[in-house]
Amino acid sequence: MNAVLEAFQMVATTEVAIAILASAVYGMVIGALPGLTATMATALLVPVTFYLSPIAAIATIITSSAMAIFSGDIPGALMRIPGTPASAAYTDEAYAMTRKGQAEVALGAALWFSAIGGIVGTVALMIMAPALAEVALSFSTYEYFWLSFLGLMCATLVARSSPIKAIAAALLGLLVTCIGIENPGGVPRFTFGMTDLLGGIEPLPALVGVFAVSEIMRAMTSAPPPPIPHRPLGSILAGQWALTRRYNKQMWRGNIVGVLIGALPGAGADMAAWIAYANSKRFSKEPEKFGTGHPEGLVESGAANNSALAGGWVPATLFGIPGDTITAIAIGVLYMKGLNPGPTLFTEKASSMYALYIVFIIANILMIPLGIVMIRLSRHVLRAPRAAAMPLILLLCAVGAFAIGNNPFAVVLVAVFGVIGYVMERNGYPVAALVLGIVMGTMVEQTFVTSLIKSDGALLPFFERPVSAGLAALTIAALAWPVLVWMLRRLRRAEPAR
Amino acid sequence: MHLSDRVTGLFLVVLGALAFWGGSLLPAVPGQDVGPAAFPMVIGGGLVLCGALIALGIGRSFEAPEAADDAPPPGLAARIGGWAAFLPPALLIFYVLVSERLGFLPTAALMLLATARALGASWRLAAGVALLAPLAVHLAFAKLLRVPLPDGVLPAPW
């Protein structure tokens, strides 16, 4: 109980209040602008978090990402352009509702069910994480190795691309972490004699490059979004309670799917929304209405993407394994602020964890009034010309990367990873897998090499402990899954030919 | 920058082979079988395998077809095509090279002007962005967050 009180004290400071408010507005605006994603919003915030207290720093990340995931629905509903990839699954549906003259219902549902999803996700985080922490205390390097490896495999499974390309992308990320002197031998590895590379490649400049610079690069060759037509909006929350009662089951299914997908390492809000929308259609009593402006799928997937956001924090705080790309960034901030992820975080720094939950709840409640304001102002915000927003983001990439260590080399890294991210995406290599490889590489190598040293080079001990055997089976299943799907497809194709 | 799977796959094979070879040259830790060489060699091997599979076109059936973008691209891309995409990273390198001597404000203004114009902004909008945004960013980062942004030839007024 003491820890909870302490947590309230930590949150109830002016600094945290300002941090939450400012990052909420920032997240809302970035999320609503097409092409600027929630991950990019978070990555650009990190240099600012250096100068904040630990709780305020975490609060900015939680708040801005939650707001950005919601406000990505706004241009989706009004212009049929998802503001963030997490909204892409149901953009057509929301736009169809707008065309039927129900823009306020679509936006209201997006807002209302986002907030509910966020709160349910937080409650799930509060229940799941401490319970899992008990289990995680008995984990050794073998379990950690399989967990981090499984995380990488999951990222390749959920990528909407060729699994081989996804694995290659993850391997590339792992290769990046080989650079530097931090390895089992303490020898300079792949540094090519450059002192700047001795310390290795920090994940943050890589993230800013992959998520922000490559987005600006894409904007250079794509047409700007069309101007937004003027539509008068009615009351936004009216009718949402009726929808909640009518689609209660769908909402809960969306929440649960969201939390589970979020907690799965490597799969985040966008994947949760796609799966929830597909589920909603499959189990619906009236699937023929989907795509014609039917709120059912909107309810389920809108709830799922926000609950996934909280779910992503489960593996992040417990194991230091990111649940999605946003927590991949958050883990860096946690380390920087002395809140090292791990099961002991829940015993030794319990008050900080409670503070984290409180911030999540506040952010999701704050989302409703701020969201209404944002929807009302959306016509003006969305009119901001892309040709003015993108250059500013580019400048922030340069200054932000420099601010991390006052080292100009970080800006070079941002440029290099921008090019890598752009070229990879254009050729069907999922960048999320690359990022996961970069964030988890050190952990994979450390646990792999330590385990091998412990076992004297034998592979059998990797499978001997019960939990590690289970994780190993899951990992191998994840590897074999694409092969199975491929064989099934061939069999099915071969049959009608006969 | 759309390359064929054969090109990217072969690139990965070469990269993986180099990683494997480079890893194998690393000195071992005395008295231990597993050292800094193990991990790069495993990854290098994996990259060679994946690259070969990609070059052979295996797994392509999983890929979603790319959405065609038929709207005309803005500003610079209309003139030089896909190469326009490489302007932002080039500007970042430009920033690293000249900001120390020229100072943050002029360098940032040039960057913003170039990007805005390349995205098809009017001269008025581009100039407005280039004049105001560097001042705002300097205020936030140098004044409030105390990041040592270079003064160069034009120090900030505060």
Side-chain angles (χ1 to χ4, degrees), chain A residues 58 61 168 235 262 267 278 343 372-373 384 399 423 427 431 470 477:
Chain A
I58 303 294
I61 290 193
S235 167
I372 293 176
V373 174
V399 179
V423 172
N427 292 295
V431 289

Side-chain angles (χ1 to χ4, degrees), chain A residues 114-126 306-307 310 360-361 364-365:
Chain A
S114 286
I116 292 185
I119 290 174
V120 172
T122 312
V123 174
L125 169 70
M126 283 157 75
N306 274 71
S307 61
F360 250 115
I361 301 275
N364 280 297
I365 293 173

Side-chain angles (χ1 to χ4, degrees), chain A residues 470-485:
Chain A
L471 290 169
L474 277 177
T475 313
I476 292 165
L479 257 175
W481 181 250
V483 182
L484 252 165
V485 172

Side-chain angles (χ1 to χ4, degrees), chain A residues 51 162 164-165 171-172 174 183 189 217 220 222-223 387 390-391 395 399 402 406 411 422 426-427 429 445 453 489, chain B residues 1-3 5 8 15 26 32 36 39 43 58-59 61 63 71-72 74 77 85 104 112 116 118-119 145 147-148:
Chain A
Y51 305 91
S162 139
I164 299 172
K165 283 190 173 177
L171 286 172
L172 267 181
L174 293 178
N183 56 59
R189 196 163 63 180
M217 292 174 73
M220 300 301 282
S222 63
M390 286 294 180
L395 183 61
V399 179
F402 176 74
N406 295 342
V411 186
Y422 176 77
R426 286 304 304 265
N427 292 295
Y429 291 83
E445 173 170 21
I453 291 174
R489 268 194 212 172
Chain B
M1 272 302 270
H2 193 81
L3 307 162
D5 278 358
T8 58
L15 186 72
L26 290 169
Q32 256 177 29
F39 199 58
I43 292 171
I58 292 171
S61 57
E63 280 180 58
F104 172 77
L112 289 167
L119 281 167
L145 301 177
V147 174

Side-chain angles (χ1 to χ4, degrees), chain A residues 172 175, chain B residues 9-21 44 47-48:
Chain A
L172 267 181
L175 189 62
Chain B
L10 283 179
F11 173 78
L12 290 175
V13 170
V14 173
L15 186 72
L18 284 177
F20 189 91
W21 175 70
L47 274 176
V48 170

Side-chain angles (χ1 to χ4, degrees), chain A residues 39-50:
Chain A
T39 311
M40 177 175 178
T42 319
L44 289 177
L45 254 186
V46 174
V48 179
T49 63
F50 280 28

